[in-house]
Structure formats: structure tokens, C-alpha cells
């Protein structure tokens, strides 16, 4: 049964783990991270944001797991003076809203196809005082062909259940050249990586690294896949709604016939 109220010992453990993961967090940021855990727990009673129903597990599996991505985010942003980050399929704001709390100086766009989830995420952000996020209600396949969003972002994150190949097809079109996809996945993804290497070649990307993240109390084995955008993604990608997931590139599905250099 899910916990009915916060537990001081659980709070202390989560606070310590947050500070161990990111020593530079200030008191307000830590307060917001705890507040996110509680807001997600409460909101999840009304809107299905996560399958995790236990308050402490939300802290471990969502807050701490997301914080492990911050160092990769910082490296990906590098010297970009006007970075923007897109969280693809944000659901309940994971990892986008957590990353926005950790990096309040960077604007984040949280995209999801389910309007009620975005409404809940916007309400949580407002309650927590997180003002560097905006939401985008759309399917990624549609938004990626909108010139307002295509080739715009320094970093795209996604903690979705889709295959790596599908995430590359959906994510790379949003990145500007030299931008970075940050994709946390499970520990056993050898076949996904092989298929995704083919997809990356088609889509203008390069799989730079795939490494297990160090433990920080999240109790989750995570392989972090980093993909760099080296060339313009051909204009035919992503394909129409549903195809990237149902027929992922690199798994025997023929590539679309596309004009050269994305023209």
C-alpha cells in the first residue's frame, strides 16, 4: 500500500542522496525536489502519471534517477550560450521537470501527446515555482516537422519505453547540428544498440557512448546512451505517427526514400 504521508526518515534519505548526486544544489532546489515527489504522489491519485504508487519509490525511481542525468546534460550544453532542452514524451515531467529544477537557468520544453498529463505537469511546476518550463501538447512525429521546433534544441532527453531506434528517429530532428540526445535505457540493450547504429546513420546521428550510470540510491540499473547529431536529418523523418515505434529503423525495416542532405 502506498504511503499516506511523508516520512521524515525517508525525506532525510532522499535529501542526502540528492546532495550526494549534485553537491551544488541549494536549499530551495532540494525543497522543490522533495515537493515534486509529493506533488507527483498526490496528483497520481487523480491522473495516471506513473505506475509507481509509493511515495518513497517516486523519490528513488524518478527524482534520483533523473538527477543522474545532470552531469551529461551539462557536458552536452558545453559552451552554448543560449541552450534549450526538449524532454520528449515527458509524461509526468520525467526527467524534464526534475532537470529544470536542477538547472533553473536553462529553458525546458516538455512535450507529450496526452493533454491531461501536461496539464498536471504545468500545475506541479506552478506550485513548485519552477518557471523555466513550458509544455507542448503534440505528437513528436508532428512537432518535429514544425519549423518552430525542428533543428532548434541543444539537448533532447527522453525516458520512454520506445526502442533506441524509435527515439533516434523522433529525437534527432529536433536537435540543431552538434546537439545531443540523452537517452537513459535499461542494462541489456545490445541488440537495440546495433539496430540504433543503423538508424543513426540514416538520421544524421552518431552513437557516442553507452555506459552504465553509477548508483546513487535509485536502485535502478541504467545505461545512458549519448547520441550526437552530425548531419542534417533528412526531411522525411520522422515518418508518420506510430511508424517509428511500430517499424523502427535498423530492425529490417527499409529506410524511406529521401532527398539528399535533407532538402
Amino acid at each position: 500500500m502506498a504511503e499516506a504521508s511523508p516520512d521524515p526518515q525517508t525525506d532525510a534519505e532522499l535529501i542526502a542522496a540528492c546532495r550526494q548526486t549534485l553537491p551544488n544544489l541549494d536549499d530551495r532546489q532540494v525543497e522543490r525536489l522533495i515537493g515534486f515527489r509529493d506533488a507527483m504522489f498526490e496528483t497520481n491519485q487523480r491522473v495516471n502519471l506513473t505506475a509507481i504508487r509509493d511515495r518513497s519509490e517516486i523519490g528513488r525511481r524518478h527524482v534520483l534517477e533523473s538527477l543522474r542525468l545532470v552531469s551529461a546534460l551539462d557536458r552536452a550544453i558545453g559552451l552554448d550560450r543560449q541552450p534549450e532542452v526538449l524532454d520528449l514524451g515527458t509524461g509526468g515531467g520525467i526527467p524534464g521537470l526534475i532537470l529544470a529544477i536542477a538547472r533553473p537557468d536553462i529553458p525546458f520544453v516538455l512535450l507529450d501527446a496526452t493533454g491531461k498529463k501536461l496539464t498536471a505537469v504545468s500545475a506541479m511546476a506552478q506550485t513548485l515555482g519552477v518557471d523555466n518550463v513550458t509544455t507542448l501538447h503534440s505528437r513528436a512525429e508532428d512537432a518535429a516537422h514544425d519549423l518552430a521546433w525542428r533543428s532548434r534544441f541543444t539537448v533532447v532527453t527522453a525516458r520512454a519505453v520506445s526502442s533506441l531506434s524509435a527515439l533516434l528517429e523522433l529525437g534527432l530532428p529536433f536537435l540543431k547540428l552538434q546537439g545531443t540526445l540523452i537517452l537513459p535505457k535499461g542494462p541489456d540493450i545490445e541488440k537495440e544498440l546495433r539496430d540504433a547504429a543503423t538508424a543513426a546513420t540514416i538520421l544524421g546521428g552518431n552513437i557516442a557512448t553507452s555506459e552504465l550510470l553509477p548508483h546513487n540510491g535509485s536502485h535502478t540499473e541504467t545505461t545512458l546512451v549519448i547520441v550526437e547529431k552530425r548531419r542534417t536529418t533528412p526531411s522525411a523523418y520522422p515518418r508518420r505517427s506510430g511508424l517509428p515505434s511500430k517499424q523502427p529503423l535498423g530492425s529490417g525495416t527499409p529506410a524511406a526514400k529521401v532527398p539528399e542532405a535533407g532538402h
Side-chain angles (χ1 to χ4, degrees):
M1 180 178 294
E3 298 171 43
S5 60
D7 178 272
Q9 182 177 355
T10 300
D11 283 4
E13 291 172 354
L14 180 57
I15 290 169
C18 287
R19 291 195 181 282
Q20 182 178 7
T21 305
L22 288 180
N24 292 329
L25 289 172
D26 62 32
D27 290 344
R28 182 63 176 134
Q29 288 172 304
V30 172
E31 180 182 331
R32 285 172 171 158
L33 292 170
I34 299 298
F36 172 88
R37 179 205 62 186
D38 294 339
M40 173 172 269
F41 175 80
E42 298 296 339
T43 304
N44 206 46
Q45 314 305 311
R46 307 183 304 275
V47 181
N48 185 26
L49 298 178
T50 175
I52 299 172
R53 303 296 176 182
D54 183 84
R55 190 190 300 266
S56 62
E57 280 298 296
I58 289 173
R60 284 192 290 266
R61 296 285 302 280
H62 291 324
V63 175
L64 293 180
E65 181 75 5
S66 297
L67 287 181
R68 291 200 292 180
L69 307 181
V70 173
S71 59
L73 175 68
D74 291 345
R75 289 192 299 272
I77 288 171
L79 299 177
D80 192 332
R81 294 185 178 181
Q82 293 183 307
E84 286 186 280
V85 180
L86 175 70
D87 188 26
L88 195 63
T90 194
I94 303 297
L97 189 49
I98 298 296
L99 296 177
I101 292 170
R103 291 294 179 261
D105 56 323
I106 300 171
F108 285 76
V109 176
L110 311 185
L111 179 149
D112 204 272
T114 304
K116 63 182 180 180
K117 291 183 178 182
L118 287 183
T119 298
V121 169
S122 293
M124 288 193 292
Q126 184 174 5
T127 298
L128 296 170
V130 182
D131 58 8
N132 57 320
V133 300
T134 57
T135 59
L136 175 58
H137 181 207
S138 177
R139 292 191 66 90
E141 294 95 330
D142 298 326
H145 287 288
D146 186 333
L147 294 181
W149 305 110
R150 192 176 182 92
S151 303
R152 170 169 169 168
F153 294 93
T154 309
V155 175
V156 172
T157 60
R159 201 178 84 164
V161 296
S162 300
S163 69
L164 278 175
S165 294
L167 292 174
L168 264 62
E169 183 172 354
L170 295 173
L172 281 168
F174 288 104
L175 287 172
K176 52 189 175 184
L177 287 176
Q178 310 308 318
T180 303
L181 276 176
I182 296 177
L183 305 174
K185 297 287 291 182
D188 300 315
I189 58 167
E190 287 77 10
K191 184 180 186 305
E192 278 194 63
L193 283 168
R194 290 194 298 270
D195 291 345
T198 300
T201 300
I202 296 168
L203 298 165
N206 175 67
I207 299 175
T209 60
S210 58
E211 299 177 347
L212 282 173
L213 289 174
H215 288 287
N216 70 337
S218 70
H219 299 173
T220 304
E221 290 281 351
T222 300
T223 302
L224 187 61
V225 180
I226 301 296
V227 183
E228 299 169 346
K229 184 168 180 175
R230 300 286 182 82
R231 304 179 308 282
T232 300
T233 301
S235 59
Y237 296 102
R239 292 165 292 164
R240 69 178 183 272
S241 180
L243 280 183
S245 294
K246 293 176 183 176
Q247 299 178 20
L249 295 171
S251 59
T253 302
K257 294 182 179 180
V258 297
E260 293 183 3
H263 298 301

